[in-house]
Amino acid sequence: MIFFQACSPKTQSYHKQNKQIEKTADKKTQGNYTNYNAATYIERFKNIAISSMNKYGIPASITLAQAILESGTGNSDLAKYANNHFGIKCTSDWKGKGYYKDDDKKDDCFRVYNNPEESFKDHSEFLKRKRYAPLFELDKNDYQGWAYGLKQAGYATNPKYPQLLIGIIERYNLTQYDSPEGRYEKIKREDRVLADINKNIPKEASKEKTTNAPVLIEGNKYVVQTGDTLYNISKRFGLTVDDLMALNNLSDNHIKIGQSLIIKK
């Protein structure tokens, strides 16, 4: 005897969100997704990894190895549909869309980007947190220090994460994209990045907390979340407050959590 359990409305909305994101990606690419191998993936993204290294001090080899590991060499659904190459999850400061898949828990929310380059840039910004600060004091070609430091700082739960990164780096000779820096350049770069990290510290309590991304219902409705106002919702979806009020026949700017608002003309 087989019993079927209906999906909860929340799960259904997550699946609907995923389908919409996949449909948008299919339309944008016309279904022609690049099937990467290690060589073509590295060639495609090495320059942005080098640029990030020179700006922030993250070894290019580490950035590429993390991307290869987290994205299945760019071929995972998360990379293909959400352009998310580092498995970065939605946090409370994330205002974009979410793609849902089981990870540490069921239906974890992952960030959706417009293109892979946004994902690589966000990866660098994501690491500018207090718990990763000691890593930016390492030499920018110290890939082993970064690999072990990322695990120690809590980037990944896999106990073999450092060895996995180091194995990828050495297998594909990714250290060829790393470069040392002089003592003076290192001090300047450290001061700049650590100053940014210190500015972020007061906001980190909310940033570190994972959450669900805004959920669209049937493609044209947004569910009001905690902290939303008509103003920030209108800016998020390219409308004016007056547009939003007219679309939803609102007589004032009062909205409540869980309310569905039409966000497309």
Side-chain angles (χ1 to χ4, degrees):
M1 217 177 184
I2 300 175
F3 294 91
F4 294 93
Q5 184 175 5
C7 294
S8 68
K10 194 173 184 181
T11 299
Q12 289 175 344
S13 67
Y14 289 165
H15 292 167
K16 191 176 292 184
Q17 178 89 334
N18 282 9
K19 289 296 183 185
Q20 185 183 12
I21 289 165
E22 291 166 8
K23 184 177 179 181
T24 300
D26 286 341
K27 185 176 180 181
K28 189 173 182 180
T29 62
Q30 297 183 332
N32 296 318
Y33 296 97
T34 303
N35 293 315
Y36 291 105
N37 57 37
T40 57
Y41 187 83
I42 292 164
E43 183 64 27
R44 169 71 172 81
F45 295 110
K46 67 181 183 183
N47 288 336
I48 192 169
I50 292 169
S51 175
S52 177
M53 173 183 66
N54 291 333
K55 185 174 182 180
Y56 300 106
I58 307 165
S61 60
I62 281 288
T63 298
L64 288 169
Q66 283 193 282
I68 288 169
L69 180 62
E70 301 287 352
S71 73
T73 320
N75 296 310
S76 69
D77 284 351
L78 194 59
K80 186 165 68 171
Y81 297 122
N83 289 309
N84 189 330
H85 287 241
F86 294 90
I88 296 179
K89 294 180 181 177
C90 307
T91 48
S92 57
D93 63 323
W94 177 247
K95 302 304 181 185
K97 295 179 182 179
Y99 190 85
Y100 295 86
K101 62 190 291 289
D102 296 348
D103 191 57
D104 293 329
K105 61 181 182 180
K106 183 174 176 58
D107 288 323
D108 263 338
C109 178
F110 291 84
R111 298 182 180 192
V112 176
Y113 302 97
N114 292 317
N115 52 61
E117 285 75 12
E118 282 188 5
S119 177
F120 274 74
K121 289 175 183 176
D122 195 40
H123 169 257
S124 298
E125 292 295 328
F126 185 84
L127 291 177
K128 286 164 60 178
R129 285 162 161 75
K130 182 180 178 181
R131 61 189 171 119
Y132 300 116
L135 299 180
F136 292 95
E137 297 178 26
L138 298 172
D139 291 337
K140 69 176 187 177
N141 60 344
D142 184 1
Y143 70 92
Q144 292 190 348
W146 267 86
Y148 284 99
L150 284 166
K151 175 65 181 72
Q152 187 175 1
Y155 189 94
T157 56
N158 188 332
K160 295 184 177 180
Y161 193 71
Q163 292 86 349
L164 291 170
L165 292 182
I166 291 169
I168 292 170
I169 289 168
E170 295 178 348
R171 186 181 315 137
Y172 300 117
N173 189 27
L174 299 181
T175 54
Q176 66 182 296
Y177 306 114
D178 292 340
S179 61
E181 58 191 345
R183 182 172 176 272
Y184 178 69
E185 288 78 11
K186 183 175 186 290
I187 291 170
K188 279 186 66 177
R189 190 260 307 159
E190 279 180 13
D191 286 348
R192 185 182 69 253
V193 176
L194 294 176
D196 286 346
I197 290 173
N198 286 331
K199 288 178 186 176
N200 283 335
I201 288 174
K203 305 174 185 176
E204 279 191 19
S206 62
K207 282 186 176 182
E208 292 292 338
K209 184 178 179 182
T210 57
T211 185
N212 292 327
V215 179
L216 294 177
I217 308 291
E218 297 177 353
N220 68 341
K221 291 184 180 179
Y222 170 71
V223 178
V224 176
Q225 310 289 304
T226 303
D228 278 337
T229 64
L230 281 182
Y231 178 77
N232 65 34
I233 294 171
S234 68
K235 292 301 179 186
R236 193 175 305 160
F237 296 105
L239 301 167
T240 66
V241 171
D242 288 341
D243 287 338
L244 202 54
M245 291 179 68
L247 283 169
N248 293 277
N249 296 316
L250 299 176
S251 58
D252 56 39
N253 61 1
H254 178 72
I255 54 175
K256 57 185 180 181
I257 296 170
Q259 181 177 352
S260 291
L261 294 177
I262 298 171
I263 44 81
K264 287 187 179 179
K265 293 183 180 180

